Each structure stands twice: as C-alpha cells, then as structure tokens.
Amino acid sequence: MKHLLTIYIFVILATVYTIFMLVGCNPLTGDNKVSQVDSAPKPQLNSFSLRTDVPPVFTNKFSGIVQLIEKNLFDTVTYKLYVDNKFVRVDKFLKNSNYESLIINLEKKEITILNHNKQLYSTIKVDEEKMEYDSSIKIIKTENERTILERNCKQWRVKNLKENTEITYWVDCSDYGYYYYLIKIWNATAKTHKYFQIIPNSFGCMPLEIVERNLLRDVKSTINITTLEFSSIDQSLFNIPTNYSAFFY
C-alpha cells in the first residue's frame, strides 16, 4: 500500500511540474524568452511614406468641368464637378434632382454643404483620411491602354486580399492636380478613393473609369467620367446663395 501511495504522489508531482513548465515556457521557442514573432508589431507603411511625388505646397493647374456617374448595387448617382484652382463645386443628382451641392476649399480642407430644398448651408472642417499600406495590398501598373473621351488612359490595379477587393483604374495623367486633394476629403472613406491615394507617382493623374470587384471578379461598383471639359469657371458658383441660412450640425 505504501509503495502504491508513493507512485501516486510521484505521478501527481510530475504532472504539476509538467504543467508549470508548459505555462512558464514560451510556446513558440520552448524557453522562457519573449517570442520575437508574437511580440513584434505587424509591418505597415503609411501612405505618406510611399508618396514622394506630391508637391510640398498646394498645386493645381486644372480648371474645368467633370461629370461622372457612380453605380453600385443600390443606386445610380450623377455628380457634376466645377473645378478652379483650389475650389471644387460638386452638384449631386439623384433621379435627376439636384438636392445637394458641396463647395470645397481644397487648400483649407473645408466643405460647405448646400441643402437646396431647405435653403440651408453648413461649413465643416474635414480631417484627411489616411490610408495604411501593408503586405496584403498589391499595386500593379500595367501597360494596357484605352482611349476614353479622347484621352489615352493606362490601366492601374490595386488588390487588397484582406478586404476581398480589387479596383481597376483607367488613368489619364494630364496634370489634374486637384484630384489628389479632392479624394482625401470628399468621400474619403470610399475604397475607390483610399486605394488610389497610395499609388506611387500618381499626382496629377485622374481615373476616367473605375471598376471595383471582389476577388471572384463580381462587380461591386463602377465610376465613369462622361464629361471632361477644360475651361474657365464662373466664380459665382463657389459663393453661398444670399437667401440661404446657416445651419450648424
């Protein structure tokens, strides 16, 4: 009986010791050192680190009218943009009705919202949306070319494995400086805008067609520029109508 009791005690002590060692040791290395694999931060590269092509001061030479149609699974929306130096006016049309306009100061990062139905306006300061780049994002600049609105466009693609998304851009690089600043404050959280921000050497470029797909190639949304006009703009378009009242959010 004593011999059997001794065996039981030995088994219990051995089990306790084994559990202690398993808890105390690092599960990856088998010793008591801190694992360099688990504790190391995941490598991420901020978009600003990629963009060496952006001028140090606000730069835009484009002046004109841009009309685009955005389609997704739920809506079709038409936008008409009037661009002059640091100002952009965006008229939004849904079912042929222009119920809202934005007056955007690209340099000050301010947006004035005009509600035409209620004749109200409100001005807000916008924080830039910052896109982070990591190893799940692939940027591919192909040599494929297409002519859109008499402009020669090249195909750029951005694929994000984590978000199950691939976006194809057909890009014209005819000195559209305003576009870089615009997509950082207007609909900045949209993937089509966020992904374009991280493409190196894209300042002055603008996509004339955008197609967003999942990795199974199902189309999720499209954006097509239907009008591109280089012209001077009536400056009164950037003024708040005198009969509109201020509204604060």
Side-chain angles (χ1 to χ4, degrees), residues 89-147:
R89 178 187 171 114
V90 180
D91 289 342
K92 181 178 180 180
F93 295 86
L94 186 60
K95 297 179 180 178
N96 297 320
S97 176
N98 174 215
Y99 65 91
E100 181 182 90
S101 296
L102 307 177
I103 299 173
I104 305 173
N105 187 318
L106 300 175
E107 193 170 25
K108 292 184 177 180
K109 303 179 182 64
E110 287 182 350
I111 297 180
T112 298
I113 305 168
L114 304 179
N115 184 317
H116 300 305
N117 292 336
K118 298 181 179 180
Q119 296 188 334
L120 298 173
Y121 76 90
S122 181
T123 300
I124 59 174
K125 187 81 173 176
V126 180
D127 293 327
E128 289 185 358
E129 182 74 14
K130 296 179 181 179
M131 176 69 175
E132 289 187 333
Y133 177 90
D134 62 30
S135 59
S136 69
I137 298 175
K138 309 296 182 185
I139 299 172
I140 306 166
K141 288 188 176 183
T142 76
E143 294 302 317
N144 298 333
E145 295 184 351
R146 278 179 57 194
T147 300

Side-chain angles (χ1 to χ4, degrees), residues 49-115:
S49 300
L50 283 174
R51 302 301 303 274
T52 59
D53 57 310
V54 180
V57 296
F58 178 85
T59 303
N60 174 46
K61 297 178 182 178
F62 175 74
S63 176
I65 300 172
V66 178
Q67 182 168 296
L68 59 93
I69 298 176
E70 181 177 7
K71 295 181 180 180
N72 56 39
L73 298 176
F74 308 102
D75 287 312
T76 297
V77 183
T78 299
Y79 298 95
K80 194 166 187 178
L81 281 60
Y82 301 88
V83 184
D84 185 74
N85 192 19
K86 64 182 180 180
F87 288 104
V88 177
R89 178 187 171 114
V90 180
D91 289 342
K92 181 178 180 180
F93 295 86
L94 186 60
K95 297 179 180 178
N96 297 320
S97 176
N98 174 215
Y99 65 91
E100 181 182 90
S101 296
L102 307 177
I103 299 173
I104 305 173
N105 187 318
L106 300 175
E107 193 170 25
K108 292 184 177 180
K109 303 179 182 64
E110 287 182 350
I111 297 180
T112 298
I113 305 168
L114 304 179
N115 184 317

Side-chain angles (χ1 to χ4, degrees), residues 196-211:
F196 196 81
Q197 292 173 22
I198 66 172
I199 300 177
N201 301 314
S202 62
F203 185 85
C205 301
M206 179 175 68
L208 303 192
E209 181 179 303
I210 304 173
V211 181

Side-chain angles (χ1 to χ4, degrees), residues 13-56:
L13 290 176
T15 302
V16 171
Y17 177 78
T18 301
I19 293 172
F20 174 79
M21 290 300 295
L22 288 174
V23 172
C25 291
N26 185 289
L28 292 178
T29 63
D31 57 27
N32 291 324
K33 296 179 181 179
V34 176
S35 167
Q36 296 304 308
V37 176
D38 276 354
S39 61
K42 302 298 181 185
Q44 287 190 330
L45 184 61
N46 191 280
S47 59
F48 291 113
S49 300
L50 283 174
R51 302 301 303 274
T52 59
D53 57 310
V54 180

Side-chain angles (χ1 to χ4, degrees), residues 160-192:
N160 190 331
L161 300 178
K162 285 182 180 178
E163 296 188 353
N164 186 32
T165 299
E166 179 176 326
I167 299 181
T168 299
Y169 302 91
W170 289 96
V171 180
D172 174 30
C173 293
S174 298
D175 211 359
Y176 306 101
Y178 86 97
Y179 190 76
Y180 167 82
Y181 307 101
L182 177 66
I183 64 174
K184 293 175 79 65
I185 56 178
W186 177 53
N187 287 347
T189 58
K191 290 180 183 178
T192 51

